[in-house]
């Protein structure tokens, strides 16, 4: 039976409020109109807090307003942060970075973990409205978990794949501890793995499609839990819910490096098996009873009209396939809005992570185009059964 929270969508709406001047809570009209019952909200620790115990007096009220409106619209919110504080003595103050793993009492690494636990306790206490917390984003990839100072260097010395997974175990465990102190009723989602490729710091065997990196990563996590070498041998002490990002990626290795989001094929049984393989890992380690959130999935069309038509069809097929996966609680489509602000800031970039591809994941246009529905929004609405007028809603959201 399909979960009543199956259809979701994500967007960093507070950032959109800052960029566009439209109050974040107004955008939730689009979420409701398209028929979604769940929303993934970017709630970075380092945006909302000044330090592990002090709310930011500007950002905290913005998020409270957004969550109040989400509750009024009966949207289940998954709050996600993939930024944290680093202690004095590190090169960075915040980021996706960590000192090298050192479990010695008082080390910079242990100070970071203590700050993370306290930060999550504060977040969970400040926002009891959030019932699901996703504690990390794609930590199996170098961009989202790297050594302190990595981005300020030549980036030639990332963490090894096994180092990232050891650190991920620590981050999940201390995040969960903090959340449960701050709000015992909240549920903790695992960090969300994505593809695995050598150029992003993965170690999946090269004879496998890169999206099997999700199952590969989950096996690395669960085997560490079972080993007894970490903080607990009980997966419940790390997460209540498992999440991952099953994008449809390029499977042609000759083209993969040029465009993992561009040179894709129509999703088929291989996409289904990427997910089933991850769930098989959960079952292997006795966690088959846990819910799964596909916390990011979607297609970019690069602004190409024909590609938009094709990717709308892909969206429909993928979501119909996901509806047949009994372990999935929510699919959060990425993302609610287009992101032309990225082009205005940076120009058109060829980099396939960020840059031009990221602009065109959106289901709706931005306010300067009346938040008009794109083809994917119409497809999504047809699946949810909503009958709202998407064009009218978009104009209402965009109105000054």
């Amino acid at each position: 039976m399909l979960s009543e929270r199956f259809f979701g969508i994500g967007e960093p709406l507070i950032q959109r409020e800052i960029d566009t001047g439209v109050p974040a809570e107004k955008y939730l009209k689009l979420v409701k109109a398209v028929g979604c019952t769940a929303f993934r909200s970017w709630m970075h620790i380092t945006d909302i807090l000044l330090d592990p115990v002090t709310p930011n007096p500007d950002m905290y009220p913005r998020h409270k307003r957004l969550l109040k409106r989400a509750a009024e619209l009966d949207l289940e919110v998954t709050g996600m942060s993939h930024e944290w504080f680093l202690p004095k003595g590190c090169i960075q103050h915040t980021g996706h970075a960590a000192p090298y793993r050192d479990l010695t009492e008082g080390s910079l690494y242990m100070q970071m973990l203590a700050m993370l636990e306290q930060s999550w306790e504060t977040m969970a206490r400040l926002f009891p409205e959030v019932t699901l917390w996703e504690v990390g984003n794609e930590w199996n990839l170098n961009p989202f978990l790297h050594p302190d100072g990595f981005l300020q260097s030549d980036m030639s010395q990332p963490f090894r794949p096994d180092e990232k997974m050891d650190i991920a175990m620590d981050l999940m465990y201390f995040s969960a501890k903090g959340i449960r102190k701050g709000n015992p009723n909240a549920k903790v989602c695992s960090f969300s793995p994505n593809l695995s490729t050598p150029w992003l710091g993965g170690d999946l065997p090269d004879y496998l499609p890169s999206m099997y990196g999700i199952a590969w990563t989950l096996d690395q996590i669960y085997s560490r839990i079972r080993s007894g070498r970490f903080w607990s041998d009980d997966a419940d002490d790390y997460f209540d819910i498992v999440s991952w990002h099953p994008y449809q990626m390029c499977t042609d290795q000759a083209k993969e490096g040029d465009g993992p989001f561009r040179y894709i094929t129509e999703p088929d049984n291989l996409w289904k098996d990427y997910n089933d393989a991850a769930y098989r890992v959960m079952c292997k380690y006795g966690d088959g009873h846990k819910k799964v959130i596909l916390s990011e999935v979607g297609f970019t069309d690069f602004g190409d009209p024909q590609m938009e038509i094709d990717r709308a069809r892909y969206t429909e097929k993928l979501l119909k396939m996901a509806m047949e996966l009994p372990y999935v609680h929510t699919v959060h489509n990425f993302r609610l809005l287009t992101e032309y602000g990225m082009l205005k800031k940076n120009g058109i970039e060829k980099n396939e992570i960020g840059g031009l591809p990221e602009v065109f994941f959106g289901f709706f246009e931005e306010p300067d185009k009346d938040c008009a529905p794109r083809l994917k929004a119409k497809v999504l609405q047809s699946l949810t059964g909503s009958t709202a007028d998407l064009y009218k809603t978009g104009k209402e959201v965009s109105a000054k």
Side-chain angles (χ1 to χ4, degrees):
M1 182 177 178
L2 202 64
S3 161
E4 65 176 11
R5 304 294 180 178
F6 180 82
F7 292 104
I9 199 161
E11 179 69 32
L13 283 182
I14 301 301
Q15 186 60 52
R16 294 290 77 78
E17 176 180 291
I18 293 168
D19 290 345
T20 66
V22 174
E25 57 270 24
K26 283 188 71 176
Y27 287 114
L28 292 180
K29 287 185 178 181
L30 299 173
V31 177
K32 195 70 175 180
V34 82
C36 289
T37 55
F39 178 69
R40 181 178 184 240
S41 189
W42 275 242
M43 299 180 68
H44 293 316
I45 285 170
T46 54
D47 289 339
I48 295 171
L49 305 181
L50 298 176
D51 58 51
V53 297
T54 309
N56 182 319
D58 174 44
M59 300 299 283
Y60 169 63
R62 293 176 190 257
H63 284 275
K64 290 297 279 190
R65 290 198 318 269
L66 179 63
L67 292 171
K68 181 176 184 291
R69 184 58 178 149
E72 292 170 351
L73 294 173
D74 190 29
L75 297 172
E76 181 177 77
V77 174
T78 296
M80 183 275 295
S81 173
H82 58 77
E83 296 251 345
W84 54 86
F85 294 108
L86 282 86
K88 291 181 180 178
C90 289
I91 298 169
Q92 299 174 227
H93 172 60
T94 64
H96 313 97
Y100 281 88
R101 192 170 189 258
D102 176 1
L103 301 185
T104 305
E105 183 177 355
S107 69
L108 289 175
Y109 186 81
M110 292 303 297
Q111 290 180 52
M112 177 197 71
L113 293 179
M115 293 173 74
L116 182 69
E117 179 181 345
Q118 180 61 70
S119 297
W120 274 117
E121 180 180 348
T122 304
M123 291 281 285
R125 185 172 288 121
L126 288 174
F127 301 108
E129 310 93 326
V130 178
T131 55
L132 303 174
W133 287 107
E134 184 182 356
V135 300
N137 181 76
E138 299 178 1
W139 287 340
N140 60 318
L141 307 183
N142 291 339
F144 292 104
L145 183 55
H146 46 251
D148 176 32
F150 179 73
L151 296 181
Q152 289 79 25
S153 70
D154 62 5
M155 296 188 284
S156 63
Q157 292 185 304
F159 287 130
R160 299 189 310 269
D162 62 309
E163 289 178 318
K164 287 200 290 290
M165 287 303 96
D166 286 351
I167 294 169
M169 300 302 299
D170 302 336
L171 296 176
M172 284 192 292
Y173 180 80
F174 282 87
S175 296
K177 278 185 67 179
I179 290 167
R180 287 163 181 162
K181 286 180 182 178
N183 181 6
N185 296 318
K187 299 298 183 183
V188 180
C189 300
S190 68
F191 89 86
S192 301
N194 196 348
L195 80 168
S196 177
T197 63
W199 57 279
L200 286 172
D203 61 348
L204 182 75
D206 59 11
Y207 51 80
L208 292 173
S210 61
M211 290 310 294
Y212 280 111
I214 295 170
W216 180 263
T217 300
L218 287 180
D219 195 69
Q220 302 297 309
I221 292 168
Y222 277 109
S223 65
R224 279 167 168 75
I225 294 171
R226 180 167 288 185
S227 74
R229 296 185 292 105
F230 290 82
W231 306 97
S232 169
D233 60 4
D234 185 347
D236 293 351
D237 290 330
Y238 298 84
F239 46 81
D240 303 299
I241 295 168
V242 182
S243 58
W244 61 76
H245 293 172
Y247 287 100
Q248 173 74 352
M249 294 290 198
C250 175
T251 55
D252 184 342
Q253 290 185 333
K255 294 180 178 179
E256 188 177 80
D258 295 326
F261 291 112
R262 183 185 293 273
Y263 301 111
I264 62 172
T265 56
E266 185 171 346
D268 55 19
N269 283 335
L270 182 60
W271 181 85
K272 178 180 181 296
D273 198 59
Y274 295 150
N275 293 281
D276 284 346
Y279 183 65
R280 289 195 294 268
V281 172
M282 293 172 60
C283 293
K284 170 184 172 182
Y285 291 98
D287 251 4
H289 60 285
K290 288 185 176 174
K291 294 177 180 177
V292 171
I293 292 178
L294 308 183
S295 54
E296 277 185 29
V297 66
F299 299 94
T300 176
D301 54 61
F302 295 81
D304 181 291
Q306 182 57 52
M307 197 178 288
E308 182 182 0
I309 295 170
D310 294 339
R311 301 297 163 89
R313 180 168 54 84
Y314 290 4
T315 298
E316 180 178 33
K317 185 171 182 181
L318 184 148
L319 289 173
K320 285 182 175 179
M321 293 172 69
M323 291 166 71
E324 300 299 319
L325 304 178
Y327 47 84
V328 173
H329 176 65
T330 303
V331 176
H332 282 297
N333 293 277
F334 183 82
R335 55 196 290 183
L336 184 67
L337 302 167
T338 53
E339 225 286 58
Y340 290 98
M342 182 176 291
L343 295 187
K344 293 173 185 175
K345 293 174 188 174
N346 304 323
I348 296 177
E349 301 289 342
K350 293 183 179 179
N351 178 14
E352 294 295 316
I353 296 177
L356 182 62
E358 184 126 354
V359 174
F360 294 101
F361 276 100
F363 279 63
F364 291 87
E365 301 286 359
E366 290 182 88
D368 60 353
K369 295 187 177 181
D370 290 333
C371 291
R374 306 184 77 231
L375 295 180
K376 290 183 292 189
K378 298 174 185 178
V379 163
L380 179 57
Q381 185 183 41
S382 72
L383 294 174
T384 66
S386 168
T387 58
D389 186 328
L390 298 185
Y391 288 97
K392 180 181 178 181
T393 303
K395 290 180 179 179
E396 290 173 353
V397 171
S398 304
K400 297 293 185 182

